[in-house]
Structure formats: structure tokens, C-alpha cells
Amino acid sequence: MVSYEEDVPHSEEDVPYYEDVTPGSGCLPPGAWLPRSDAARLPLGGTWRFRLSPAATTEDETFARPEYDDSAWEELRVPGHWVLQGHGAPGYTNTGYPFPVDPPRVPDENPTGDHRYAFDLPADWPAGSTVLHFGGVESCARVWLNGSELGHFKGSRLPHEFEAGPLLRPGRNVLAVRVHQWSSGSYLEDQDQWWLPGVFREVELRHRPEGAVRDAFVHAEYDHRTGQGTLRVDSDPAGRVTVPELGLELATGESATVPVEPWTAETPRLYDAELATSGERVPLRIGFRTVVVEDGLLKVNGRPILLRGVNRHEFDPAHGRAVGADLMRRDLLLMKQHNINAVRTSHYPPDPAFLALCDELGLWVVDECDLETHGFAQQGWRGNPVDDERWTPALLDRARRMVERDKNHPSVIMWSLGNECGTGRGLSAMAAWMRERDPSRPLHYEGDPSCADTDVYSRMYADHAEVERIGRRTEEPLPDATLDARRRGLPFVLCEYAHAMGNGPGGLSEYQRLFERYERCQGGFVWEWVDHGLRQYTAGGVRYHAYGGDFGEEVHDGNFVCDGLVFPERVPSPGLIEYKKVIEPVRFEAAGPDGAPWAVRVTNLQDFADLSALAFPWSYEIEGRPAAEGTLTVPPLLPGESAEVKLPAPPEDAPQDGEALWTVRAVLAEDAVWAEAGHEVAWGQLPAAPLPVPRPWTPSATPRRGGDRTLALGPGVFDATTGILSRLGDSPVTGPRLDVWRAPTDNDEGAPWQPGQRCGPEWRRIGLHRMRHRTDAVTAEGDALVVRTRVAPAATSLGFSVVHRWSSDGAALRLEVAVTPEGDWPVPLPRLGVRMGLDGDLSAVRWFGGGPGEAYPDTSAAAHVGRWSLPVDALQTPYVRPQENGARIGVRWAELTRPDGSGLRIEGEPHYFFTARRWTSEELDAARHTPDLVAGDRVWLNLDHAQHGIGSGSCGPGVLPQYRLEAAPAAFAFTFRPLE
């Protein structure tokens, strides 16, 4: 076998190999990923010997000799990263390089890990060619086997192989690998993630018999007009292909056309096949599908598709990018169970086993090249490698290694040139090569607004208004009329949107309606799948997750690395629950006259599958309790079809004095490969009757003097000077008092590069986190106690005039609040309501309203109205960086109880947001990690008339106008009923 890099020109600069701009030396040509065959393989993962040096020494190669004594070295798990195993520390940056930008040079401070692994070659290992395979090494590796150098390579997330057969010995062999943390390749890998050097993917020996498969390319097209698939497998060397289920046996290079079931993300039909050459038999899994851009739309098998996607970095909270097969499958099962149908492999090709799972389970994949040079944006893209011809061989090498490795996966429907690289001749060269090698897949790249080298128009974080303009094809024109006309005719995809950092993202429903309204808008990919918090423990053994700056980095980007829909340990966040609801593939709507709920309209929003795999249970609920249940008969609607299905009559014996709702669900009728029967795919709620009229409030008690400094009214005791409630029944109380502050979310804080208003910094500037209260009057007015106050921050004339009107029917207290803003408020409010402190023994909560999880005005699609019950501690959402969380929306009433059943019931007019936690908003705001939150001896309640929305301002658009909580007069009421 010949070396692939022999034809690659070397750098003209007199620099060491790890700083030259070449992709490497000595490596074999890239080929398709063929995970199994009948040829021998020997995994080399396990415990290696390891030595770390602070600089990139290149002279001392004695460690590569088989006889070298490494007994004093440390042990290291491979695959793995040395910085996660006690050697040095990880570091996180978003766009900035953590070293001086002076390409292709890197600093002398260049941690370098020498690795050694001794292994015994099996006695029956065949003679002849054997390939040494590396799945991924960051960032530059130099390799020796038994003291002889094989070569070096760069391209961290790409496979590299060497011919090792002539160097193998019977019995003991020694593999030596020198890995440099920084190299010229690092300039091409500025990918918004932890910098984690090491050998992090599999290492193995692969025997290559005479006549073994060097490469194979499966071409499996589907003609939707005829229902036939055409198969051709090109192979080096030639051989034969058999597909027993299709009755096919044909020579490689020969085509056959037969009736087939197509592969789609909804119906991932695979055919088992075998490729046999004179030296090897290789199993294949073939999916027939055709991808085109036609009529301005991205189509698969003749139909436009809607991408309900996520971006995915490879990440394990303990092992970094050394992600095992079990975690990959777990991720994909979670995606499927939450209605996600697409993955963009940001910003590099994943472990190939991940793509095989996408083939099996069914997800559309945008496979992205291992390329990002974002740090050059800070200097106006001066010196950007993608526009420097010296780097073009390295760029082409990365493109080839991705395409050749992954070309046989039916799940891969687009190639992406990379991410955030600006523009340049190198990208054009990559695009030209990809189109020539594989014309069956469109090309994606977001960083060039002209779309000169792409087949789709891709954007990041375009706001809703711009997406609508693009959907109408009325976006701002390009200066070049020809390029503008071409781009205007391309399908549109948001390769990143809805930044899922901390609490959020908001505005998902509005994006989805735009995708559904405009056929050009073919969906997008939420940023991103998982929080990259690294698992750590306090001195007391409490687990938390670290982010940028927690390891003493000189340059870092804080918790911007924690922006996923699942927490590091793969617990779904409220954002994922919301996304599942927003993108659900079945919709339920009231279908009677004027929307009356005597029937439900069921719509199939899938692209290919009918509804025959689903069952449709219903329930008729009064005040959150089922009064009747059954199953609807829904026809197996084809994609895009709707049907009106009659609902049964409400049961005659159902209670008549509570709020009545229909709940209709779509669940799996039988087990699927990704979920069990009964798994909920979609749901909808419809009002079953007009809302009941609230019971009239009739005060029957009057305020009276208590002790020297107290007033009494029904079950309440008040401070006579301040008018603050101090006791309710037998329980001490603090408050309630007007509260407008919340611990800003990541989206509240916003990104400094965003053009819109950043609410979090404005709230702090105004002083909403340090409000002061002044009591102006406490008076008895008939049967009411009226407390007039002013609430305002220091150093400003802004404030609120507040009137609290208390009354009682003898058993309960009612608080009516009237709020009038004072001054010209330049920013929306975080929240508007009251806060109060209660006895810490109130440890459980029951409520009727939205649940079971948190929701805010623009993240409420998944809020299911019902009766819910949770411990107070379980109401908290453990965001990696603590922030506002845990609000329940649309609460009609809530009850906090002690273990003996006593407690407090709170009813609201109108419905309200309810939050309960064992720390104040100020303590929540001060915390940087979850262990910083220490439970106090009180439960703090926020009863909010309104909340400001969440938005996506940490990297995207802020809160939509309809969800902004502008300062305006407001009135609301709460009734407090002690529970005995």
C-alpha cells in the first residue's frame, strides 16, 4: 500500500512537523468505514503508559524503542483525554484561540503526551498487510511501532491509518504515540468546545488479506415514481454483492433495479447485504433513498422534508469526547423519543458508530467537516487559512477523510464544508471535490452569505421576522444580481437557532409555525443537544458540573459551553420537553362550529409515514381528574392529511362545578426500536365547557387591634406599622411584598454581540436586585385592611406605587394588589407579583394548572393543565449555572403541605405563576454552581401575576414583543386558606 500523503506538498517554512501546514505524512488513503468483516482485528484500547511534558519536544525519541523502561510512567486510559485523568487541565473557549494567533506557529508552552502500549500479537495473527487505525487524536500525533516511525497526522476528529504489517512481531509489540496539544491543525479546529488533547477514539489493528476491500461505495437510489431502487456497489478490488431479501447477486460496478421499500428518517428501512472479494467478506446495511434540491426545495424521495433537528457535539461529562456506544445509543433514543428527526454533527464528523445508529433508528444527518477558524473573525479574517492556498491540501484532506469514511450511510443527506470559517478559495476547492466525488448529496455551509459553494441557504440565529422574509423570498438582496437570484431560489435551513443555554429557549412555537407556513423554510437545528459540563465533586463529595474558568484558564468563555437540551448526565431539560411538544408530528385542534370541542381535528405532520403506528387515547377531565376515558378511532392519515374525529358525549354523572378539559394523546400502538408501546408522541388539550364562574368573595371579618404593634384580620396577623403579614393561622409568614426581581437567566444576560437590548445588565443597572420598600399608610377601610407602599431602587426615580387590600371571610385571607409604575421605564420587568417566606416544614406542593415541569410565557407549549404533586425540592431545575427556574404557569390553585397534611392553599385571580424554593432569588443569583445553593429554614414563594419571556438572547434573538413584560398598571388577587 502506498502512502496517501506522499503527493501532498510540504510546508515551505522551516518549522517542526506539528507546525507545518500539511495534513501529515505516511498515512494510507482514506476509505469507507467498514465496521465488521471476516478479517482479523485486534483492539488496542485499555491502560497505556503515559508521560506528560510541558513543551513540544521532538528530539528525544528513545521512548519509542521497545526496550525503553516506562515503569515509572503514569497509567492512562485510552481512548481518553489526559487532561481529564489528572494530567494538566481542560480549557474552554468559544471563538478565541487560547494561544497567540500566528499561523501556523504555536507557543513553546505546548503540553505533549508520550503514550506507550505493549501488546501481544495473537499467535494465529495472519501474515501480510495489517493496518494500524486511529479513529481520532487531538491535535497532532506522531506514531512509532516497535521503534520504527510510521508518520504523523493532524485532523483530530478524522480517521488515520498506517501500514503496520512489516513491523509487527510475534509476541510482544510496542506502539508509541507522541501527541501535541497544539499544532497547525489547531487553527482549523476552533469549534466552540473544550480543548481536550489525547487519543480519544478507538485504536486497533486490522488485518488486510490479499484481495481485501480497500474501499467500497454503495450507491442506492430510490425512484419515488416507480417505487424501485437502483443498487450499484463500487469496490476496490472488485467483488460480488448479495442482497438476499431482494434476491440480488451482482458484480461490483454492476447496477440492478428492483422494487424496494425506501429509507427515510421516519421509516428507516435497511437491507442486509454482503460484499465479497477474493480476500474478505464485508456485511453492508443498505438504505435506498434519493436526495435532491429541486423546485427550490430540499427533497428526499420526491418529498420536501422538515428538519426538526439538533446540533450535537460529542460529549461525556466524565470522558469528554471519548463517547462510548451505549451513550451514543442513549442520546439517539432520547432524540427519537422527543420527536427530533435530524442531527447536524457540529462541527466535525462524529464517531462512525453514531452514524450507523442514525441509519438504524432513523435520523437525517448533516455531516460536517472537521473545520472551523472562527478565531480569525476577531482580526477581520486576516490570515484565515481557508483563503490561503498553502492550507488547501489540509482542507482537502479533511474533506476527503469525511466523505470517504461516511459515504455509505443513508442517514447522511448533506455534506457540510465546516463551520464559521468566513470565505475563501480553500472552501471552494473542498466543494468542488465533494461534488465530483459524491454528486448524490447537496452541500451545506453557513458562513458564506452568497451561497456560492452551497446548495441550501443556511443561516444562524435569524430572528422570526427575518425567517418570515426569507420564507416569502423577500430577504435583503445580495449586491450581485446573479448570486442573489440563485440564493433566492434555494431552500432555507437554520443550521443553528433557539440557543438552549440555561433556562430556555423561548420562541420555539413561533419558529415552528413559520417553518410550517413557508415551504422554503425547511426547519433547522437547535443549538445544541447537551450541556458540556465536566463532572466534578466538592470536598464534601457533592457532584456538580464545571464550565469555562473553573480550571484556571487564562482565556475562557464561562458557561457558554453549557447550552444543551439535556443536562450533562442526559437528564432532559425543560427546553427539551418544550421542543418535543413544539415539533410533535401530530396536531390536535378543536374542530366544532366556532372551535367548539364536540370534535377534534387530527393532522399528520410527518413527511412520509401515516398514522397507523399510533393509538389515540382520550380523557375527559374535571378539575384535573379524569371523569371518563377511552380511545378514539382515527384513520391512518397520510402525511399532511387531516380528519375531524367526533368526541364522545361527556359523562352525565360528571361534576358540573369544575373546569372541564378534553385531553387527546397519540401514543405508540406497538413497541418500536426506539420506544415501547404506549410512549407518548403528541398530545392536545381542548376546553370542554365554558370556564366556571368564580365563587363570589364575601368578606365577613373586620380588621382589629391585636397586641401593641399588630393588627388582626381573620386568620392573619399584621405588623401595624408596615402592614406586612407576619402570621397566617398557626404559621409565621414573611410578606407577601411586591417583587419584580428574578435571578437573570443566561438568555436575560444576553450576548455582548447581540444588537438588541440585554435585559439582565439593564435590570442590574437600574437596581431591580436591590429594591427598597416604604410604607405610606396602613388603614382600616370598612371590612378591609389597606396598605399603601412605594417600592423602588436606589439612585433612580423609577418605582411602583402599590396598594394592598386585605379582606377575610373569617377562614381565609384575600389580597388584592394594584400596581402603578412610576417613571419612564426603559426596560421590561423580570416579573410582577409578590414574594413571601413560609415555614420550611412545608415540604410538598400540589397544584392545579400547567405542569408537570417549569414554563414561562414563551416556553409554555408543553405545560399540560392538570393536577400535579411534587416535593418542593423537586420543583427546582438544576441548571449548570444557577438562574431563575421552576415557575409553573397557569396555576389555578396550589397547596403547600407538611407531612401531617396541614399547610396553606393559594388561589389566584387570574391564573398565576407559582415558584417555591428554599433560597431567595438573591441567593440564586449569587450562586455559580449548584452546590452553592444551600437550603435555608424557609420556603420562599413567588406568586406572579406575570413573567417576562425567556427568548434566546444568549446567542439568538431576544423575547418576542408579545412576551415582553412592559411596566404598566396591573391588578391581581390571591386568596390564602390555611389547611388544618
Side-chain angles (χ1 to χ4, degrees), residues 634-671:
V634 176
L637 302 170
L638 295 175
E641 289 186 342
S642 297
E644 293 187 6
V645 181
K646 187 175 181 180
L647 292 165
E652 294 181 359
D653 59 349
Q656 301 299 311
D657 59 348
E659 184 176 347
L661 292 170
W662 293 100
T663 298
V664 185
R665 303 162 60 225
V667 303
L668 289 180
E670 299 178 353
D671 289 350

Short mmCIF file of all heavy atoms in Angstrom, two decimals, residues 634-671:
data_model
loop_
_atom_site.label_atom_id
_atom_site.label_comp_id
_atom_site.label_asym_id
_atom_site.label_seq_id
_atom_site.Cartn_x
_atom_site.Cartn_y
_atom_site.Cartn_z
N VAL A 634 -59.04 6.88 14.81
CA VAL A 634 -58.50 7.88 13.88
C VAL A 634 -58.03 7.15 12.63
O VAL A 634 -57.31 6.15 12.72
CB VAL A 634 -57.33 8.64 14.52
CG1 VAL A 634 -56.70 9.62 13.53
CG2 VAL A 634 -57.79 9.39 15.77
N PRO A 635 -58.43 7.60 11.46
CA PRO A 635 -57.98 6.93 10.23
C PRO A 635 -56.46 7.06 10.07
O PRO A 635 -55.85 7.99 10.59
CB PRO A 635 -58.72 7.66 9.12
CG PRO A 635 -59.11 8.98 9.71
CD PRO A 635 -59.32 8.73 11.18
N PRO A 636 -55.84 6.13 9.35
CA PRO A 636 -54.38 6.17 9.15
C PRO A 636 -54.00 7.26 8.15
O PRO A 636 -53.60 6.99 7.01
CB PRO A 636 -54.05 4.78 8.62
CG PRO A 636 -55.30 4.35 7.93
CD PRO A 636 -56.45 4.94 8.71
N LEU A 637 -54.12 8.49 8.60
CA LEU A 637 -53.93 9.64 7.72
C LEU A 637 -52.56 9.63 7.07
O LEU A 637 -51.54 9.34 7.73
CB LEU A 637 -54.11 10.93 8.50
CG LEU A 637 -55.46 11.13 9.20
CD1 LEU A 637 -55.41 12.34 10.13
CD2 LEU A 637 -56.56 11.30 8.16
N LEU A 638 -52.51 9.99 5.81
CA LEU A 638 -51.24 10.15 5.10
C LEU A 638 -50.60 11.47 5.50
O LEU A 638 -51.26 12.35 6.07
CB LEU A 638 -51.49 10.10 3.60
CG LEU A 638 -52.00 8.76 3.04
CD1 LEU A 638 -52.30 8.90 1.55
CD2 LEU A 638 -51.01 7.64 3.29
N PRO A 639 -49.32 11.65 5.21
CA PRO A 639 -48.66 12.91 5.57
C PRO A 639 -49.40 14.12 5.03
O PRO A 639 -49.78 14.16 3.86
CB PRO A 639 -47.28 12.77 4.93
CG PRO A 639 -47.03 11.30 4.88
CD PRO A 639 -48.37 10.68 4.61
N GLY A 640 -49.61 15.08 5.91
CA GLY A 640 -50.30 16.31 5.52
C GLY A 640 -51.80 16.24 5.59
O GLY A 640 -52.48 17.28 5.50
N GLU A 641 -52.38 15.07 5.77
CA GLU A 641 -53.82 14.93 5.81
C GLU A 641 -54.38 15.23 7.20
O GLU A 641 -53.69 15.06 8.20
CB GLU A 641 -54.25 13.53 5.40
CG GLU A 641 -54.06 13.22 3.94
CD GLU A 641 -54.62 11.87 3.54
OE1 GLU A 641 -54.86 11.02 4.44
OE2 GLU A 641 -54.84 11.66 2.34
N SER A 642 -55.64 15.67 7.22
CA SER A 642 -56.35 15.92 8.47
C SER A 642 -57.69 15.21 8.44
O SER A 642 -58.22 14.90 7.36
CB SER A 642 -56.61 17.43 8.68
OG SER A 642 -55.40 18.13 8.80
N ALA A 643 -58.21 14.96 9.61
CA ALA A 643 -59.55 14.38 9.73
C ALA A 643 -60.20 14.93 10.99
O ALA A 643 -59.54 15.16 12.00
CB ALA A 643 -59.49 12.86 9.79
N GLU A 644 -61.54 15.15 10.91
CA GLU A 644 -62.28 15.55 12.08
C GLU A 644 -62.88 14.31 12.72
O GLU A 644 -63.59 13.55 12.07
CB GLU A 644 -63.37 16.56 11.71
CG GLU A 644 -62.80 17.89 11.24
CD GLU A 644 -63.87 18.94 11.04
OE1 GLU A 644 -65.05 18.65 11.37
OE2 GLU A 644 -63.54 20.04 10.56
N VAL A 645 -62.56 14.12 13.98
CA VAL A 645 -62.98 12.92 14.70
C VAL A 645 -63.91 13.35 15.82
O VAL A 645 -63.55 14.22 16.64
CB VAL A 645 -61.77 12.16 15.27
CG1 VAL A 645 -62.21 10.91 16.00
CG2 VAL A 645 -60.79 11.81 14.15
N LYS A 646 -65.11 12.77 15.88
CA LYS A 646 -66.09 13.15 16.88
C LYS A 646 -65.66 12.68 18.26
O LYS A 646 -65.18 11.55 18.44
CB LYS A 646 -67.45 12.55 16.53
CG LYS A 646 -68.58 13.04 17.43
CD LYS A 646 -69.92 12.52 16.96
CE LYS A 646 -71.05 13.04 17.85
NZ LYS A 646 -72.38 12.55 17.40
N LEU A 647 -65.82 13.55 19.23
CA LEU A 647 -65.56 13.21 20.61
C LEU A 647 -66.83 12.64 21.24
O LEU A 647 -67.95 13.01 20.86
CB LEU A 647 -65.11 14.44 21.39
CG LEU A 647 -63.74 15.02 21.01
CD1 LEU A 647 -63.57 16.42 21.58
CD2 LEU A 647 -62.62 14.11 21.49
N PRO A 648 -66.68 11.75 22.21
CA PRO A 648 -67.88 11.21 22.87
C PRO A 648 -68.56 12.28 23.71
O PRO A 648 -67.98 13.31 24.05
CB PRO A 648 -67.31 10.07 23.74
CG PRO A 648 -65.90 10.45 23.97
CD PRO A 648 -65.44 11.17 22.73
N ALA A 649 -69.79 12.01 24.06
CA ALA A 649 -70.51 12.94 24.93
C ALA A 649 -69.92 12.88 26.34
O ALA A 649 -69.54 11.80 26.81
CB ALA A 649 -71.99 12.57 24.98
N PRO A 650 -69.82 14.02 27.03
CA PRO A 650 -69.33 13.98 28.41
C PRO A 650 -70.22 13.10 29.26
O PRO A 650 -71.44 13.03 29.05
CB PRO A 650 -69.42 15.46 28.84
CG PRO A 650 -69.40 16.23 27.57
CD PRO A 650 -70.11 15.38 26.57
N PRO A 651 -69.66 12.41 30.24
CA PRO A 651 -70.48 11.56 31.10
C PRO A 651 -71.51 12.38 31.87
O PRO A 651 -71.22 13.47 32.36
CB PRO A 651 -69.46 10.91 32.04
CG PRO A 651 -68.27 11.80 31.97
CD PRO A 651 -68.25 12.39 30.61
N GLU A 652 -72.73 11.83 31.95
CA GLU A 652 -73.81 12.58 32.60
C GLU A 652 -73.56 12.79 34.08
O GLU A 652 -74.05 13.77 34.66
CB GLU A 652 -75.14 11.85 32.37
CG GLU A 652 -75.56 11.81 30.91
CD GLU A 652 -76.89 11.11 30.72
OE1 GLU A 652 -77.45 10.63 31.75
OE2 GLU A 652 -77.39 11.04 29.59
N ASP A 653 -72.82 11.86 34.71
CA ASP A 653 -72.61 11.97 36.15
C ASP A 653 -71.35 12.73 36.51
O ASP A 653 -70.94 12.74 37.68
CB ASP A 653 -72.57 10.57 36.78
CG ASP A 653 -71.45 9.72 36.17
OD1 ASP A 653 -70.88 10.14 35.14
OD2 ASP A 653 -71.17 8.63 36.70
N ALA A 654 -70.71 13.38 35.51
CA ALA A 654 -69.50 14.13 35.80
C ALA A 654 -69.84 15.37 36.61
O ALA A 654 -70.89 15.98 36.43
CB ALA A 654 -68.81 14.54 34.50
N PRO A 655 -68.95 15.78 37.53
CA PRO A 655 -69.19 17.02 38.30
C PRO A 655 -69.35 18.21 37.35
O PRO A 655 -68.74 18.27 36.29
CB PRO A 655 -67.92 17.15 39.15
CG PRO A 655 -67.35 15.76 39.21
CD PRO A 655 -67.71 15.11 37.92
N GLN A 656 -70.19 19.15 37.75
CA GLN A 656 -70.51 20.29 36.91
C GLN A 656 -69.87 21.59 37.40
O GLN A 656 -70.05 22.63 36.78
CB GLN A 656 -72.03 20.47 36.84
CG GLN A 656 -72.76 19.26 36.30
CD GLN A 656 -72.36 18.90 34.88
OE1 GLN A 656 -72.34 19.78 34.01
NE2 GLN A 656 -72.02 17.65 34.63
N ASP A 657 -69.16 21.53 38.52
CA ASP A 657 -68.68 22.78 39.13
C ASP A 657 -67.19 22.99 38.99
O ASP A 657 -66.60 23.81 39.69
CB ASP A 657 -69.06 22.80 40.61
CG ASP A 657 -68.45 21.63 41.37
OD1 ASP A 657 -67.94 20.69 40.72
OD2 ASP A 657 -68.47 21.67 42.62
N GLY A 658 -66.52 22.26 38.09
CA GLY A 658 -65.09 22.43 37.91
C GLY A 658 -64.73 22.67 36.46
O GLY A 658 -65.54 22.47 35.55
N GLU A 659 -63.51 23.08 36.22
CA GLU A 659 -63.03 23.32 34.86
C GLU A 659 -62.91 21.99 34.12
O GLU A 659 -62.28 21.05 34.60
CB GLU A 659 -61.67 24.02 34.92
CG GLU A 659 -61.12 24.40 33.56
CD GLU A 659 -59.83 25.18 33.66
OE1 GLU A 659 -59.48 25.64 34.79
OE2 GLU A 659 -59.14 25.33 32.63
N ALA A 660 -63.51 21.91 32.94
CA ALA A 660 -63.55 20.66 32.18
C ALA A 660 -62.67 20.76 30.94
O ALA A 660 -62.71 21.76 30.21
CB ALA A 660 -64.99 20.34 31.77
N LEU A 661 -61.88 19.74 30.70
CA LEU A 661 -60.97 19.70 29.55
C LEU A 661 -61.00 18.32 28.91
O LEU A 661 -61.13 17.29 29.61
CB LEU A 661 -59.53 19.99 29.99
CG LEU A 661 -59.20 21.41 30.47
CD1 LEU A 661 -57.81 21.43 31.09
CD2 LEU A 661 -59.28 22.40 29.32
N TRP A 662 -60.86 18.29 27.60
CA TRP A 662 -60.55 17.06 26.88
C TRP A 662 -59.03 16.99 26.71
O TRP A 662 -58.41 17.98 26.34
CB TRP A 662 -61.17 17.04 25.49
CG TRP A 662 -62.67 16.98 25.44
CD1 TRP A 662 -63.50 18.03 25.23
CD2 TRP A 662 -63.48 15.83 25.57
NE1 TRP A 662 -64.81 17.61 25.22
CE2 TRP A 662 -64.82 16.26 25.43
CE3 TRP A 662 -63.21 14.48 25.79
CZ2 TRP A 662 -65.89 15.37 25.51
CZ3 TRP A 662 -64.28 13.59 25.87
CH2 TRP A 662 -65.60 14.03 25.73
N THR A 663 -58.47 15.83 26.94
CA THR A 663 -57.06 15.59 26.60
C THR A 663 -57.01 14.42 25.63
O THR A 663 -57.54 13.34 25.92
CB THR A 663 -56.23 15.27 27.85
OG1 THR A 663 -56.24 16.39 28.73
CG2 THR A 663 -54.77 14.97 27.46
N VAL A 664 -56.40 14.64 24.47
CA VAL A 664 -56.25 13.60 23.46
C VAL A 664 -54.77 13.39 23.22
O VAL A 664 -53.99 14.35 23.13
CB VAL A 664 -56.95 13.99 22.14
CG1 VAL A 664 -56.87 12.84 21.14
CG2 VAL A 664 -58.40 14.39 22.39
N ARG A 665 -54.36 12.13 23.14
CA ARG A 665 -52.94 11.80 23.01
C ARG A 665 -52.72 10.88 21.82
O ARG A 665 -53.62 10.14 21.42
CB ARG A 665 -52.43 11.12 24.29
CG ARG A 665 -52.64 11.95 25.55
CD ARG A 665 -52.55 11.10 26.80
NE ARG A 665 -51.27 10.45 26.93
CZ ARG A 665 -51.11 9.17 27.26
NH1 ARG A 665 -52.14 8.38 27.48
NH2 ARG A 665 -49.89 8.66 27.35
N ALA A 666 -51.52 10.94 21.28
CA ALA A 666 -51.06 9.97 20.27
C ALA A 666 -49.91 9.19 20.88
O ALA A 666 -48.92 9.78 21.31
CB ALA A 666 -50.60 10.68 19.00
N VAL A 667 -50.08 7.86 20.95
CA VAL A 667 -49.07 7.01 21.57
C VAL A 667 -48.72 5.87 20.63
O VAL A 667 -49.51 5.53 19.73
CB VAL A 667 -49.55 6.44 22.93
CG1 VAL A 667 -49.93 7.59 23.88
CG2 VAL A 667 -50.73 5.50 22.74
N LEU A 668 -47.55 5.28 20.82
CA LEU A 668 -47.18 4.12 20.02
C LEU A 668 -48.13 2.97 20.31
O LEU A 668 -48.33 2.60 21.48
CB LEU A 668 -45.75 3.70 20.31
CG LEU A 668 -44.62 4.62 19.82
CD1 LEU A 668 -43.26 4.05 20.19
CD2 LEU A 668 -44.70 4.82 18.30
N ALA A 669 -48.68 2.41 19.26
CA ALA A 669 -49.59 1.28 19.44
C ALA A 669 -48.83 0.00 19.75
O ALA A 669 -49.35 -0.90 20.43
CB ALA A 669 -50.44 1.09 18.19
N GLU A 670 -47.60 -0.10 19.26
CA GLU A 670 -46.77 -1.28 19.49
C GLU A 670 -45.35 -0.81 19.78
O GLU A 670 -44.99 0.35 19.54
CB GLU A 670 -46.78 -2.22 18.27
CG GLU A 670 -48.15 -2.76 17.91
CD GLU A 670 -48.10 -3.64 16.67
OE1 GLU A 670 -47.02 -3.71 16.04
OE2 GLU A 670 -49.13 -4.25 16.33
N ASP A 671 -44.53 -1.73 20.27
CA ASP A 671 -43.13 -1.41 20.52
C ASP A 671 -42.44 -0.99 19.23
O ASP A 671 -42.67 -1.57 18.16
CB ASP A 671 -42.39 -2.62 21.10
CG ASP A 671 -42.79 -2.93 22.53
OD1 ASP A 671 -43.50 -2.12 23.14
OD2 ASP A 671 -42.39 -4.00 23.03
#
